[in-house]
Amino acid sequence: MAQLQACYQSTAMPPPADIVKVAIEWPGANAQLIEMDQKRPLSSIIREVCDGWSLSGAEQFALRYADGPQLYITEQSRGDIKNGTILRLAISPARAARQLLERIQSHGIDARLEALKELAKLSADPTFATEFINMEGIGTLARLVESGTHFGEMLAFTLTAFLELMDHGIVSWDLISLSFIKQIAGYVNQPMVDVSILQRSLAILESMVLNSHSLYHRVAQEITVGQLIGHLSNQEIQTYAIALINALFLKAPEDRRQEMASTLAQKHLRSIILNHVIRGNRPIKAEMAHQLYVLQVLTFNLLEERMMTKMDPNDQTQRDIIFELRRIAFDGENDPTGTEKRKAMYTKDYKMLGFTNHVNPAMDFTQTPPGMLALDNMLYLAKVHQDTYIRIVLENSSREDKHECPFGRCAIELTRMLCEILQVGELPNEGCNDYHPMFFTHDRAWEEFFCVCIQLLNKTWKEMRATAEDFNKVMQVVREQITRALAMKPPSLDQLKNKLRGLNYSEILRLRQSERMSQDDFQSPPIIELRERIQPEILELIKQQRLNRLCEGSCFRKLGNRRRQEKFWFCRLSLNHKVLHYGDLDESPQGEVPFELLSDKIPVSDIKSVVTGKDCPHMKEKSALKQNKEVLELAFSVLYDPDETLNFVAPNKYEYCIWTDGLCALLGREMGSDLTRSDLDTLISMEMKLRLLDLENITIPEAPPPVPKEPSSYNFTYNYS
């Protein structure tokens, strides 16, 4: 059949736009090679194919792809058929659904098992799923689960089919009965359950919680956090268990989230994740990294209430916290007996503590963010790291050279900055894996992070010899130090301290100067001219690199699949840069994929344009409305003759830039990605520095030197004797 495919893909003359040459298979018969007219009704083509094999009842048949997911072909999807595609004549979705529904209710165990196995595979097809659901198939599967008579493989296939069918969004999760939820929860709560059943049960419960507010309450009543945490020691189901914990955490009412967080802390969730997942003996996959990121975001979001709570200057309890900060810092001093003297002394102390409002420092905490969260951080530092707190306060309060670092003002602004950097209060992004291992190494990670950063701020203030007028400049440097250190993903808070020590003020200046040199070269006309001469060579070099990467190819995730059951496809450019080859894969490849395994291709000469983001067809579809900004920024499509598209969602920003640049280069258009601009600046800077190496410390004139006067006589020569 591969020869048939090759034969149909190597036609001398391109076929008409509405004609597609395909091969159609039927068990026990020779394949039919037909020219499918896309203007003809699909039913007419199927009838013609059935006549070729003398099959009656053409209305009982349909066409499916022979390879890959083997989806049914409908009038809506037939436009995706390419020349050389191998199709298969199969019974229609309605007939297949009816037969499978009868077989899974039969009395023979073997027959039911085979039917459920086939159902689990077919349920991923939206056409079949619609027919099966219309026959009350989901209710039948639910009753099989509720009966409690299915075990082992039979139950695993039943749950797989149920989850696949519900995942199409055709029916509402709210229709699920309480007895079904209890049965699924029972599999999770049992100590000895098959891994495949446990995985599917956790995934079903996660979908219930995320898709239905009423089901959240039912699931929360049946499942305890302690039971889920107990599953984290099993590497096969860790991701599913954390995903369900995150779903329960995300959908919990605000008044219950703190309670749930306390339960998670009591059950030592953080240390279990640290020991069994982050420091486990297996690499962390993308889905697990995403779930850790979600848990990190949800944990930090617990701070939002305090962050948005203003201090009440008349609340004595809140004012007592400020008194406590003053007492810890200046404990050795006796309070004067007189009210006026005490008031004057307190004002002096509050000034030394660095508050903006010396008379009533409570007013410093009326802005949100950071609100009361800043005061919480300051109190934690004063009580848990008392020596550090006293040192910072007294060190600066005793200075008289206008270079004192105002602790109170700095702590408030630093808290606001950390909330912005860690996006406290924002929902997690789908597809983001940006978790930080160090936040799982301490029960009070937020407060400890603040304590590290306030010491950094104090140190940077001294290195910059700053005064009150330089406050904003210092905060900018500190933000840069923190973001650069976080980007290195230190595994612990101690490692974070080491990274920050290496990023002192002089190093930040050096990095800024280095980056500035790469962006802003000398502006004299000769240097500008040299840059303009070099740029075409560098652009050609970048273009060749992009095309070479396209020739190596990349793996892309299929959109619309659940993350833990990912499906992939691969695309690469032919070595002569004339054809794009692509095809489906069962799993993510470890290296290059040979051209022979990629069944489809697009001639580069047929490509009309490349579109990105919201202009992509797959970002305009209804299902794409659920996609967030992360996915939108990684989407691009190839539009080619006659009116067809090849849709991509890049795995990351780097691959997105590589492919959009490479495709634009193939079409003779400008490569406009951020990566190209960055590479261009870097390479031009390196090349110019190499060419100007001998000119170091030599001033380059703005204008060329004057031409010398002509000699009085041209009567001179070189004597080579």
Side-chain angles (χ1 to χ4, degrees):
M1 196 51 66
Q3 293 177 339
L4 287 173
Q5 188 173 356
C7 174
Y8 273 84
Q9 287 180 338
S10 58
T11 52
M13 292 291 291
D18 296 319
I19 301 298
V20 182
K21 295 187 176 183
V22 298
I24 302 180
E25 298 177 331
W26 176 254
N30 294 327
Q32 294 188 37
L33 308 179
I34 70 168
E35 293 186 353
M36 180 183 290
D37 187 347
Q38 294 286 45
K39 291 182 178 179
R40 289 178 59 193
L42 203 54
S43 57
S44 173
I45 295 172
I46 293 172
R47 187 177 299 108
E48 185 178 294
V49 171
C50 289
D51 291 343
W53 283 312
S54 301
L55 298 173
S56 59
E59 66 279 357
Q60 297 293 318
F61 291 94
L63 292 176
R64 291 171 61 185
Y65 288 99
D67 302 317
Q70 301 182 7
L71 298 176
Y72 278 102
I73 294 167
T74 63
E75 289 290 353
Q76 292 73 32
S77 66
R78 64 187 294 180
D80 297 331
I81 302 174
K82 308 293 187 301
N83 280 317
T85 301
I86 302 172
L87 305 179
R88 179 175 296 157
L89 186 67
I91 59 174
S92 67
R95 185 179 172 190
R98 193 178 306 109
Q99 289 181 358
L100 284 175
L101 200 55
E102 293 171 356
R103 288 165 58 192
I104 62 176
Q105 298 177 86
S106 66
H107 297 291
I109 294 178
D110 292 339
R112 290 168 71 183
L113 178 60
E114 288 302 313
L116 287 168
K117 188 182 295 185
E118 188 175 347
L119 178 63
K121 182 179 179 181
L122 276 176
S123 294
D125 188 307
T127 309
F128 170 85
T130 303
E131 297 290 346
F132 190 81
I133 290 171
N134 289 339
M135 297 176 187
E136 303 297 328
I138 286 183
T140 301
L141 293 180
R143 287 190 291 273
L144 289 176
V145 174
E146 292 168 11
S147 68
T149 57
H150 281 48
F151 305 97
E153 267 193 317
M154 191 173 292
L155 178 58
F157 286 125
T158 303
L159 296 178
T160 301
F162 179 86
L163 190 56
E164 289 282 3
L165 291 166
M166 293 300 295
D167 198 43
H168 292 293
I170 299 172
V171 294
S172 171
W173 281 91
D174 288 316
L175 301 176
I176 303 302
S177 68
L178 182 59
S179 59
F180 180 86
I181 297 173
K182 287 181 176 293
Q183 192 67 36
I184 296 295
Y187 299 136
V188 175
N189 297 334
Q190 289 176 18
M192 298 296 292
V193 178
D194 185 75
V195 169
S196 59
I197 295 173
L198 193 52
Q199 286 178 340
R200 288 156 178 78
S201 298
L202 289 167
I204 289 172
L205 292 173
E206 181 196 357
S207 293
M208 287 180 183
V209 171
L210 293 176
N211 288 285
S212 169
H213 180 71
S214 61
L215 289 185
Y216 157 75
H217 293 285
R218 294 182 180 179
V219 173
Q221 291 172 355
E222 299 294 330
I223 297 292
T224 67
V225 172
Q227 291 163 336
L228 295 176
I229 291 176
H231 290 305
L232 294 181
S233 57
N234 187 335
Q235 293 181 334
E236 299 298 324
I237 55 177
Q238 285 173 340
T239 308
Y240 296 84
I242 294 179
L244 181 52
I245 291 173
N246 284 337
L248 290 168
F249 207 160
L250 181 65
K251 293 299 181 179
E254 290 187 14
D255 58 340
R256 288 199 57 191
R257 286 180 190 168
Q258 290 288 354
E259 178 186 339
M260 185 175 177
S262 300
T263 305
L264 294 175
Q266 292 169 6
K267 298 293 183 180
H268 306 292
L269 173 65
R270 178 199 59 76
S271 59
I272 291 172
I273 289 176
L274 181 67
N275 295 324
H276 290 282
V277 180
I278 296 176
R279 295 177 180 171
N281 54 10
R282 294 204 307 184
I284 294 179
K285 296 183 179 179
E287 170 61 16
M288 175 59 83
H290 173 70
Q291 294 301 339
L292 293 176
Y293 155 77
V294 172
L295 182 59
Q296 172 186 295
V297 170
L298 295 177
T299 303
F300 283 147
N301 281 357
L302 294 172
L303 304 168
E304 184 181 12
E305 182 182 356
R306 293 293 284 174
M307 180 182 76
M308 301 307 295
T309 300
K310 296 181 179 181
M311 186 171 185
D312 181 1
N314 299 318
D315 189 324
Q316 187 60 42
T317 304
Q318 296 179 0
R319 292 174 64 187
D320 285 345
I321 299 176
I322 298 178
F323 292 154
E324 182 70 2
L325 291 174
R326 192 209 66 81
R327 186 195 64 78
I328 294 174
F330 309 109
D331 190 32
E333 301 178 11
N334 295 320
D335 284 355
T337 55
T339 304
E340 291 300 322
K341 288 184 178 181
R342 187 185 301 116
K343 192 172 183 180
M345 190 195 76
Y346 281 6
T347 300
K348 178 184 176 184
D349 290 348
Y350 292 145
K351 182 177 181 181
M352 288 193 291
L353 276 170
F355 288 112
T356 303
N357 193 317
H358 307 151
V359 177
N360 187 5
M363 299 302 296
D364 286 15
F365 301 95
T366 56
Q367 288 190 351
T368 56
M372 290 295 290
L373 185 60
L375 190 58
D376 295 342
N377 287 340
M378 295 164 72
L379 185 63
Y380 181 88
L381 174 68
K383 287 192 169 184
V384 179
H385 300 278
Q386 193 170 113
D387 291 343
T388 300
Y389 168 69
I390 293 174
R391 177 179 57 79
I392 291 175
V393 172
L394 297 185
E395 185 180 84
N396 289 285
S397 62
S398 60
R399 301 186 67 165
E400 297 180 357
D401 56 1
K402 305 298 182 184
H403 289 284
E404 66 274 5
C405 177
F407 170 74
R409 184 184 177 192
C410 288
I412 293 170
E413 187 58 35
L414 178 63
T415 302
R416 180 188 289 110
M417 180 196 298
L418 297 183
C419 289
E420 291 175 358
I421 291 173
L422 296 176
Q423 299 179 330
V424 175
E426 295 186 17
L427 290 176
N429 285 322
E430 181 66 30
C432 183
N433 304 333
D434 189 24
Y435 81 98
H436 295 278
M438 69 177 183
F439 291 132
F440 292 87
T441 62
H442 200 285
D443 289 329
R444 304 293 295 272
W446 166 263
E447 291 86 350
E448 289 293 323
F449 182 47
F450 168 82
C451 293
V452 171
C453 293
I454 194 68
Q455 294 177 71
L456 167 72
L457 196 159
N458 187 59
K459 175 173 171 284
T460 302
W461 186 284
K462 288 188 290 186
E463 290 173 350
M464 294 177 66
R465 293 194 54 78
T467 62
E469 289 76 16
D470 302 317
F471 184 85
N472 291 333
K473 293 180 182 178
V474 176
M475 297 309 297
Q476 289 173 4
V477 173
V478 171
R479 176 186 282 270
E480 189 171 342
Q481 290 171 313
I482 294 171
T483 52
R484 286 181 183 272
L486 286 177
M488 301 177 194
K489 293 295 178 70
S492 67
L493 289 163
D494 287 336
Q495 287 292 318
L496 173 68
K497 294 177 185 176
N498 292 335
K499 301 292 185 189
L500 290 172
R501 272 194 288 269
L503 287 168
N504 54 34
Y505 179 53
S506 60
E507 177 64 11
I508 292 295
L509 287 179
R510 190 193 66 80
L511 291 170
R512 284 180 173 180
Q513 185 178 9
S514 174
E515 290 168 0
R516 193 180 301 117
M517 287 293 291
S518 67
Q519 296 171 2
D520 304 319
D521 289 311
F522 303 115
Q523 295 302 309
S524 61
I527 298 298
I528 294 174
E529 183 181 348
L530 177 60
R531 183 186 180 93
E532 291 174 351
R533 289 188 180 183
I534 292 174
Q535 185 163 317
E537 302 173 19
I538 301 299
L539 279 173
E540 183 61 28
L541 183 66
I542 294 173
K543 174 183 174 182
Q544 292 305 318
Q545 187 271 341
R546 301 293 193 264
L547 294 176
N548 289 341
R549 277 287 290 106
L550 263 61
C551 290
E552 293 173 10
S554 297
C555 181
F556 300 92
R557 180 168 63 89
K558 283 201 168 185
L559 206 60
N561 290 291
R562 286 191 305 279
R563 296 174 60 85
R564 290 181 295 278
Q565 298 179 2
E566 289 183 324
K567 297 178 182 178
F568 303 92
W569 64 287
F570 196 88
C571 186
R572 63 182 298 193
L573 179 65
S574 63
L575 299 179
N576 62 4
H577 300 172
K578 291 186 177 181
V579 180
L580 277 177
H581 295 265
Y582 65 97
D584 293 334
L585 300 176
D586 293 330
E587 57 184 19
S588 181
Q590 300 302 315
E592 286 189 11
V593 176
F595 291 111
E596 298 76 29
L597 298 180
L598 305 176
S599 57
D600 300 305
K601 65 180 182 180
I602 300 172
V604 172
S605 58
D606 288 351
I607 298 177
K608 295 187 289 188
S609 65
V610 177
V611 294
T612 61
K614 292 185 291 186
D615 296 328
C616 297
H618 58 314
M619 292 293 105
K620 295 178 181 178
E621 297 169 1
K622 183 179 179 181
S623 61
L625 295 176
K626 300 178 182 178
Q627 302 300 328
N628 60 18
K629 183 181 177 183
E630 293 279 333
V631 175
L632 199 63
E633 290 177 348
L634 298 176
F636 61 99
S637 298
V638 172
L639 310 183
Y640 62 100
D641 288 332
D643 288 306
E644 300 184 75
T645 63
L646 183 61
N647 299 317
F648 299 74
V649 175
N652 50 55
K653 190 67 176 179
Y654 176 79
E655 288 292 332
Y656 170 85
C657 293
I658 289 290
W659 276 84
T660 52
D661 282 344
L663 292 169
C664 286
L666 283 175
L667 300 179
R669 297 172 187 171
E670 181 181 352
M671 299 180 294
S673 75
D674 294 339
L675 183 62
T676 291
R677 286 192 288 272
S678 174
D679 288 350
L680 185 63
D681 288 341
T682 301
L683 294 173
I684 285 181
S685 175
M686 290 173 60
E687 180 66 18
M688 291 182 67
K689 286 175 182 177
L690 287 172
R691 296 195 184 191
L692 299 173
L693 204 56
D694 295 334
L695 298 180
E696 192 166 347
N697 297 324
I698 296 177
T699 303
I700 300 174
E702 291 289 336
V707 178
K709 293 181 180 180
E710 293 186 10
S712 58
S713 170
Y714 289 92
N715 188 19
F716 55 85
T717 184
Y718 290 104
N719 187 358
Y720 293 101
S721 59

